[in-house]
Amino acid sequence: MRDLVDSISPVLRDVMSELGVEENDWSDSLAGSTDSAYADVTLPCHSLSRILRKSPAIIADEVALLLGDSLNGICSVSSVNGFLNFSADADWLSSIIEERASDTRIGVDSENPRVIVIDYSSPNVAKHMHVGHLRSTVIGDALARMLAHKGHQVIGENHIGDWGTPFGMLIEHLLDIGVDTPAEKIDLGTFYTNARAKFESDSIFADRSRKRVVKMQASEPETITHWQMLVDRSLIHFNEVYQMMGVLLTDDNLAGESKYESSLSEVVERLDVAGILKQSEGAHVVFPKGWVNREGEPLPLIIRKADGGYNYATTDLACIIDRVEEIGSTEFLYVVGAEQAQHFAMLFQVAREAGFMDDRINAIHVPFGMVLGTDGKKLASRTGGAVHLKDLLIEAVERADSMISEKNPNLSDEERKEVARMLGIGAIKYADLSTDRTNNYTFDWEKMLSFDGNTAPYLQYAHARICSIFAKSGIVRSSIQNSSISLIHEREQNLARRLIGFPEALDNAISHHLPHKLATQLHSIAQAFASFYEVCPVLKADDEATINSRLALCDLTARTLECGLGLLGIESPNRM
Ligand code: ARG
């Protein structure tokens, strides 16, 4: 509870300096408590023992005594086992919550704007997007929204895999099945695997493929036309998925591997000039300092293969140069699976050693774990093959649709469809975003679509419930946003505490690139709302002042949930 820390600090500073303790020695320890049922903010006095040469318990007692009633109106103070515990007063909570209620940004401030590139989604041409790309898309989209909300200039880059040697065989395969094959007839589920199978079994095809690569690198017009067709076909698929998911990515965000093709030779040149380009078994490589293989030999980052072809890493180096020198960004996030951790660690180091980026540049790999099925194994379709994202999204909406029909048969067809879309897609996104991204997460339909627990439907339901209170009352929400709020009931105070914590949770989520920190706060808000609503009548409260106070609290709750879910890329229906 940083707001309370801010209110306590100046008063505590006076008392501490009276005792001869400098601010540096206590200010970092003053922080939110582990359990807000007992205290909001705690100062453990253990580290002060060394300075004051007294037991923590005695120090805590003394400080409490010296504080006396100086924090009245802010919080109460108690000393327990060497801890100083501070619990916010209802009046203090009210004053903060009133501020929030009348603030359109509900307490979220803007930071000094930075230009931040987020590399996310990044599927591969001529293949179906897989669940790893789903995670990257969902997490990247949430980070983009959160950072933009804090005032940053976010540049989303979709680094699609649209160049490289595999395109030789892909184009030859396209020629085999006929270049006039209508786009919708090309099955991305099998295209890549069929091409690869032929490449491996048919030496004439393999030979053609290799020749095609050479033509492609020479930008031979006909070859480029075929290549473009594969890209276009794939973009139809990607965009379909993005649209269903409601993410921010469009064709404007494309910054695929092909974009950097023409600067690859320059990368090699610059690595050479930097004196770090080495020859190894016919290939051009860089040995980043400190990297060794299992045998203890230096580990290379391959820049140019013996056959002259460039590598994934070479393109990524060109991409870094572009982000630093053309885009002028000082911060890039790569939302890519944990299995590429070594690639990025080596890449960043080589970019630094080559002087492509200096210490002012913050390049961060934002890794995530795998998606598992309920059987604990890597998620697979019913037939055992890779799961098609589109099917997954369709199924989510269908399942949500039947849930809604059961729950609220009064919705019109049109409204039910719209709500089902928000719930189904929201459920998939939230299941991903509410777990620590560094862990694997289990894809479980029952759990993610449940109205109980830490799920999108639970949060969306809390929001819709508040909307229905207002709908029933006929009161316009904006009309009560300046009402005075008195937090009489303990559960009102608890709800207020959760709401006050929203901007801080958002900042935590952003600074660690961990969306689940925001999701956890939203869930605790929805829970606190449910327990408030269980015992505190709103429209039937005793007097007008309480009605308005509680309506204002409800409205702020709904706005916070809507804003927070929105920052995770999840919509909040008004009815469901
Ligand atoms: N296309 C790659 C894949 O599917 C991900 C690209 C990530 N971005 C990057 N700049 N390397 O694995």
Side-chain angles (χ1 to χ4, degrees):
M1 252 220 190
R2 67 180 174 204
D3 307 81
L4 190 58
V5 168
D6 289 347
S7 299
I8 295 168
S9 290
V11 182
L12 193 58
R13 190 180 302 132
D14 291 343
V15 168
M16 287 296 194
S17 76
E18 219 173 292
L19 287 171
V21 183
E22 283 180 43
E23 188 161 355
N24 282 345
D25 291 320
W26 59 268
S27 59
D28 284 348
S29 323
L30 184 70
S33 304
T34 31
D35 187 347
S36 67
Y38 300 98
D40 293 304
V41 167
T42 298
L43 178 72
C45 297
H46 305 79
S47 62
L48 299 178
S49 251
R50 267 181 303 111
I51 302 168
L52 294 172
R53 307 195 165 278
K54 287 179 195 164
S55 78
I58 292 179
I59 298 172
D61 284 347
E62 278 183 10
V63 176
L65 202 68
L66 284 171
L67 281 169
D69 52 16
S70 53
L71 286 168
N72 272 5
I74 299 176
C75 60
S76 61
V77 187
S78 62
S79 156
V80 183
N81 299 336
F83 293 91
L84 271 172
N85 291 321
F86 305 89
S87 287
D89 283 350
D91 288 347
W92 182 87
L93 288 172
S94 299
S95 68
I96 303 278
I97 213 78
E98 279 173 7
E99 257 172 51
R100 296 289 163 84
S102 57
D103 174 9
T104 48
R105 288 190 52 94
I106 51 179
V108 177
D109 58 0
S110 294
E111 286 174 353
N112 276 339
R114 306 192 298 270
V115 180
I116 303 173
V117 174
I118 310 187
D119 184 314
Y120 69 109
S121 192
S122 309
N124 299 314
V125 162
K127 282 184 182 174
H128 262 289
M129 286 176 79
H130 58 64
V131 285
H133 298 125
L134 170 74
R135 290 211 76 180
S136 174
T137 309
V138 169
I139 297 167
D141 185 63
L143 293 176
R145 289 172 194 267
M146 292 194 281
L147 285 163
H149 192 62
K150 290 289 285 185
H152 299 297
Q153 188 194 337
V154 175
I155 300 176
E157 291 209 326
N158 193 358
H159 192 78
I160 59 171
D162 62 355
W163 199 257
T165 41
F167 279 87
M169 70 178 192
L170 293 170
I171 291 169
E172 287 305 320
H173 182 52
L174 177 68
L175 288 166
D176 283 359
I177 63 173
V179 277
D180 349 295
T181 312
E184 62 282 1
K185 287 268 163 61
I186 296 179
D187 177 7
L188 293 183
T190 53
F191 192 89
Y192 193 98
T193 28
N194 289 350
R196 157 104 14 229
K198 256 198 291 180
F199 185 83
E200 270 154 21
S201 62
D202 177 345
S203 62
I204 298 173
F205 180 82
D207 208 40
R208 266 165 53 201
S209 301
R210 277 189 279 268
K211 289 200 177 106
R212 185 59 67 180
V213 175
V214 178
K215 285 188 188 162
M216 193 171 107
Q217 277 159 352
S219 298
E220 195 254 337
E222 203 194 342
T223 302
I224 295 300
T225 308
H226 301 331
W227 166 80
Q228 189 66 51
M229 175 177 171
L230 287 175
V231 174
D232 291 345
R233 168 65 191 98
S234 306
L235 286 179
I236 294 174
H237 164 64
F238 301 158
N239 285 330
E240 212 170 34
V241 170
Y242 296 150
Q243 221 155 41
M244 286 174 83
M245 290 175 72
V247 292
L248 300 169
L249 290 173
T250 67
D251 284 353
D252 293 341
N253 299 99
L254 290 173
E257 296 182 23
S258 65
K259 176 182 165 188
Y260 307 98
E261 208 272 314
S262 58
S263 17
L264 297 179
S265 57
E266 186 197 321
V267 171
V268 179
E269 223 170 271
R270 286 173 64 165
L271 290 171
D272 198 17
V273 171
I276 55 176
L277 194 69
K278 300 270 142 51
Q279 295 265 1
S280 172
E281 294 165 35
H284 286 93
V285 305
V286 175
F287 293 105
K289 285 189 200 95
W291 285 89
V292 287
N293 63 16
R294 280 200 205 99
E295 285 73 44
E297 295 152 356
L299 196 64
L301 188 73
I302 299 174
I303 302 298
R304 191 165 197 185
K305 293 177 280 191
D307 67 7
Y310 297 101
N311 245 359
Y312 182 50
T314 324
T315 306
D316 260 331
L317 285 170
C319 181
I320 287 179
I321 294 176
D322 183 67
R323 287 172 187 176
V324 176
E325 297 174 13
E326 300 302 320
I327 296 177
S329 161
T330 52
E331 192 168 329
F332 348 125
L333 309 179
Y334 293 81
V335 188
V336 186
E339 65 282 355
Q340 293 193 30
Q342 178 172 323
H343 163 73
F344 286 110
M346 291 177 83
L347 174 75
F348 297 159
Q349 194 175 328
V350 169
R352 292 221 159 79
E353 287 177 20
F356 298 166
M357 57 184 196
D358 60 23
D359 294 344
R360 282 168 301 178
I361 309 283
N362 221 346
I364 304 168
H365 177 208
V366 179
F368 51 81
M370 285 188 302
V371 184
L372 305 178
T374 40
D375 56 3
K377 293 189 198 131
K378 216 171 159 173
L379 188 70
S381 70
R382 283 190 203 100
T383 53
V387 176
H388 289 180
L389 270 194
K390 212 175 125 188
D391 298 344
L392 214 63
L393 299 173
I394 292 172
E395 182 167 352
V397 176
E398 276 170 6
R399 283 176 181 257
D401 194 290
S402 49
M403 264 170 47
I404 299 292
S405 326
E406 219 173 278
K407 206 163 172 83
N408 191 350
N410 299 325
L411 290 181
S412 69
D413 259 13
E414 200 182 335
E415 199 174 357
R416 194 195 64 244
K417 275 199 192 120
E418 188 59 6
V419 173
R421 186 185 58 74
M422 295 185 191
L423 250 74
I425 301 298
I428 289 195
K429 288 184 176 178
Y430 192 83
D432 190 323
L433 296 170
S434 58
T435 43
D436 185 330
R437 63 169 163 75
T438 56
N439 296 334
N440 294 338
Y441 99 86
T442 305
F443 195 96
D444 183 343
W445 286 119
E446 302 284 314
K447 216 170 114 196
M448 72 173 74
L449 280 162
S450 165
F451 279 94
D452 282 319
N454 191 8
T455 66
Y458 179 73
L459 303 193
Q460 289 167 319
Y461 186 63
H463 172 268
R465 207 173 193 183
I466 297 171
C467 293
S468 84
I469 297 173
F470 280 94
K472 215 179 286 164
S473 71
I475 295 167
V476 179
R477 279 173 59 177
S478 58
S479 71
I480 47 83
Q481 286 166 358
N482 291 310
S483 302
S484 79
I485 301 179
S486 48
L487 304 164
I488 308 151
H489 201 284
E490 200 193 318
R491 294 196 186 183
E492 289 178 290
Q493 293 167 18
N494 187 38
L495 175 55
R497 287 186 159 89
R498 306 295 161 189
L499 291 167
I500 289 172
F502 172 73
E504 189 174 350
L506 174 60
D507 288 351
N508 277 333
I510 288 176
S511 58
H512 301 97
H513 312 110
L514 289 172
H516 81 275
K517 297 210 175 237
L518 175 60
T520 305
Q521 187 73 19
L522 295 177
H523 180 228
S524 79
I525 291 172
Q527 276 181 315
F529 173 75
S531 76
F532 150 82
Y533 199 59
E534 228 167 67
V535 296
C536 298
V538 178
L539 296 173
K540 294 205 172 114
D542 292 338
D543 52 82
E544 177 109 14
T546 312
I547 294 178
N548 284 340
S549 166
R550 289 187 175 161
L551 280 172
L553 197 57
C554 286
D555 168 71
L556 179 62
T557 305
R559 277 192 285 146
T560 308
L561 288 172
E562 187 183 11
C563 171
L565 284 172
L567 294 176
L568 297 176
I570 299 169
E571 293 172 88
S572 303
N574 292 341
R575 302 208 309 158
M576 58 190 264

